[in-house]
Amino acid sequence: MTDVTDFGSLRLAMAENAGQPEGPARNRRAEQLVRDAERLGIPAALVEALVHHVRVGNYSSEKDRLFVPFTRLLGLWDEHPEHFGEEEIHALHWFFKWMSSGMLDQPQIPLASMEKWLGEMERRYRLAGYSDRAVRGAELWVAAHVGDTGRAERAFAAWLAADRDEMADCHACELNGQGWWHAQRGRDEEALELWRPVLEGEFACAHEPHSVLASSLLPLLRLGRAEEARANHLRGIRLVRPMESMRASYADHVEFCALTGNEARGLELLAERPGHFLGAGNPSSRMEYLGVVALLMDRLTALGLGERAVPGPPGREWTARELGGHAREEALSLAARFDERNGTSYVGERLRTRMDREPLLDRLPLGVRTTPSAPTRVPPTTPPAPDADPATLLARARRLSETLQPNAVEAWAAAARAARGLELTVRDRAEIADHEAMGLGPEGAALFERAAELYAEEGDRGESLAARTRAAYVRALGGDVEGALAAVADPYEQVLALYAEDGTGVRQTASVVMGRARVLMRRVQEAVERGEAASEALGAARDAVREVLALVDGHGGGDVRLAARAAEARAMLADLAAHAGEPREAVALFGRAAAEFVAAGLPWFAVEYEARLAMLAHHLGDVEQTERALRAALEHGGSHLEPPGRAQLHLQLAEVLGGRDEPGKAAEQALEAVHWADAAGDAAFAAWARQMLGGFLLRQARWAEAAEVLESALADLSADTHGDGAVVQTQWWLGDALSELGEHRAAAELRLKAAEIARHWPEQQDHATLAHLAGEALGAADLPAEADRAYARAGDLWRELGDPHGLVRSLRARAWLALRAEDGADRAADLMEAAVQECATALDAAAGEEDRALLAAELGHTHHQFGGLLARIAEEQEERGEQQEGQDTGAGFEAALARLLEAVAVFSALGEDAVHARTDAELAAGRLALDLGRPAEAEAHAGAVLAAYAELTDGSEDVARVRVVEAGRLLRLARERA
């Protein structure tokens, strides 16, 4: 922290403080600097310190502290305007707008005082010669605040009609305000159209698009544009998260979570900024924040989570129910103060409407994780059916199992519970035991045997044999395949004999024959898993499956169960074909099996086989069939598909679409995969899906969204579970996103962490690339020494890998870094010379024509950069008035020009492939020649560029057009100087 000893150190201290994060600490420092300025006894210093105090205070939650320093500043202006420079005069008048909005936020300031202040602002602006555009904007906020719609509309129209001048807000802020008023009036389409240039990055400032992104969330949801709303939430929350002054915008994001089924995410946002519960210096934004906290807590309570612990104001523990009541009471109390001040009920009514909003969507997946401790949203459940008698429940269970409905086992369980303690028929008891066993998996063998006894007691020998077969099969599922084969042999022989004597039907016989085939399929699976030859097992299983088909084909007659047997047998043959190395046959059979299940009215049975088909088709390179199969599986699974399976299918489809270079569609599927993996509670799989989603977002240049998602993925990725390659890739991608967002220091840290992991890999290409990228980020973060070390590390690795391109580029980057040091000119030139030599050496050793052409281009670029570097050195020496004995800085410019001419010569030799690189170097050489007083040379270079593009038809019209314009300008200047 700079000590203030004179005016210069005061200015330095203010600059340092302006760069600190928003908040009380920065405000206290600003107050201290005002006292330091008073101690200096320099009137202009006090003016600048007061300006600084007002400016930093405005961007905080302590806006109630702005009025005193501004009043002092205004008094100084009235008494001694000579102490104000142009910047301070501009700031003083600009602050009138902040005072107007600041008064609105303070319920203790009377409405009459605000109206008087508005008149004073208008008078001062008129005296200063400013337009009344900003005045009418301030009037709009006053009228809108008290609910005077007529006056607000008039002020809005006058605002737009007045001329823009230097007191008008920037374009981004003005569009924000105009769109806000449209949204307040229910004109969402108009609001979003006005905000579009801000959202698309055409206009921006220190607090935009931060505010517009937050304001756009509800209008987008109301218009059904949920995808855009999700994107704006992920983009916007990164911007407002560190900014204390943007509590109201932060509240918009919490509200968005509460209204889209993302209550757990909303709780995380509350936990991230506990200070937002406090900050009494801006009652208006505190009221809005507490209002959405109440909304969120009411949502949790409605979902049955009212007693869950939640983050709240510090000093005590809170449940959702308690915090909801507290937040509502506090918010309404603040609203009452505003309404009392305003003499209306408008603020309270608007707040109640906000707190009582109903969700706009049941579910809007965001792609980001929530902490395991955060209460997850309880999905809506189907209310239990009214009490029914056991006979009705048994009939329902039989109906569902007869048609192979997915919830038949649950229906039998409900019937069993209702019938407990009652006298049942033997058949009832047999079926209840049979279906209870089905729900137990390998643990159900004994219960299947009991069911078999009961069927036999009832006189149904065929169903008894089928139940015994089911008991044998679950033994195979438990790992005892040979025991299962022995156990199924007798039921198999008996049922065939019984069927031949018409002692049982085809359905029961098919059940036993299919059970035996299933056991034999398990034997094949085990042989494959052990890596043993499975030809004998394959043959036996294939014969058994064909026996099923021979039995049931032609006997369906509308019998769903027999149709299902045939389809399953077809799928078994597909499985066997895959094991036998016949993938195309397997694909055809899986497709036929799935189609038969769908035709039988059993689409949910097709899902497993469509997923298998997709895997095989993908292996065969048939992308279209892979996609069709995956989409069919998702469609046919419908509501019956469990979250883990749904997550898997969506992620496979995302991979397919990503491989087809459709990152937008791939991201949609990856987002669904994330949602369903979260619903399944599978954090490891969700991390995979998030990583993939982040990658697809990155490919679309959706940097902020990608960063949010990848940060979430990184929290759950581990080298033990996912492999260190996945961790490195995620860090790499996240570093790229953060670099694009200007968060260079964080990007460098991630790239260095990734490089440290990659350092231990046998292949060092990734290590070198990551070290190089870390150097780029460190340089952009203004850490030249650290950047130089990273580039040096990368250069050593490029040398070891035999990659001259990487080595040369690392040397060039180090040269430019060296130039930042006060005495770094010689070192910079030496590093660039080393880059030239490395490139020339590699070129001499290159064998193939392609390699030689690439290295020649690299040499040309290095000469070009060398010329630019020498010119920069000469310029800086000239600015400092430095001269070497017997030589002026012109020698430096001559050396720079010589390097540029070398670049032109190299690129010329490469022909049309390097025409853009050559013309770039020609223009640089021409400009430098003109500066050296040689217009004829400059004209020659300009002419060469124009000639190069005279008949260029390679589709590079944009580059050519720019170069032609630059060459024309250079030509005119050269002829003027000649």
Side-chain angles (χ1 to χ4, degrees), residues 299-308 321 378:
R299 289 297 310 136
L300 290 168
T301 301
L303 292 168
L305 297 168
E307 304 312 311
R308 294 297 298 267
R321 195 185 312 277
V378 178

Side-chain angles (χ1 to χ4, degrees), residues 26 86 151 165 183 239 263 272 427 437 452-453 489 679 703 743 783 844 869 875 902 912:
R26 188 168 76 157
E86 288 186 13
R151 182 187 180 191
D165 63 2
L239 297 173
E263 293 85 359
E272 286 178 8
R427 185 73 184 192
E453 293 171 3
W703 313 116
E743 300 176 37
L783 297 168
D844 289 341
L869 183 88
E875 286 169 6
E902 290 272 13
E912 192 168 318

Side-chain angles (χ1 to χ4, degrees), residues 347-431:
V347 173
E349 290 170 359
R350 191 176 60 82
L351 176 66
R352 287 184 180 87
T353 299
R354 188 175 200 182
M355 291 192 294
D356 296 339
R357 278 188 179 129
E358 291 296 318
L360 295 170
L361 290 173
D362 288 333
R363 176 180 80 91
L364 179 62
L366 301 178
V368 292
R369 75 192 281 273
T370 54
T371 57
S373 61
T376 54
R377 191 175 196 273
V378 178
T381 57
T382 305
D387 292 339
D389 63 275
T392 300
L393 290 172
L394 283 167
R396 177 175 179 271
R398 285 196 178 96
R399 187 172 64 254
L400 293 175
S401 59
E402 184 70 17
T403 54
L404 298 176
Q405 298 300 306
N407 50 348
V409 172
E410 290 82 355
W412 278 104
R417 287 193 298 273
R420 193 171 291 131
L422 300 178
E423 194 70 33
L424 297 174
T425 66
V426 174
R427 185 73 184 192
D428 290 341
R429 288 155 51 207
E431 288 183 303

Side-chain angles (χ1 to χ4, degrees), residues 70-82:
F70 178 74
T71 301
R72 289 189 65 188
L73 196 60
L74 190 58
L76 288 172
W77 166 249
D78 289 336
E79 295 172 11
H80 296 286
E82 69 275 10

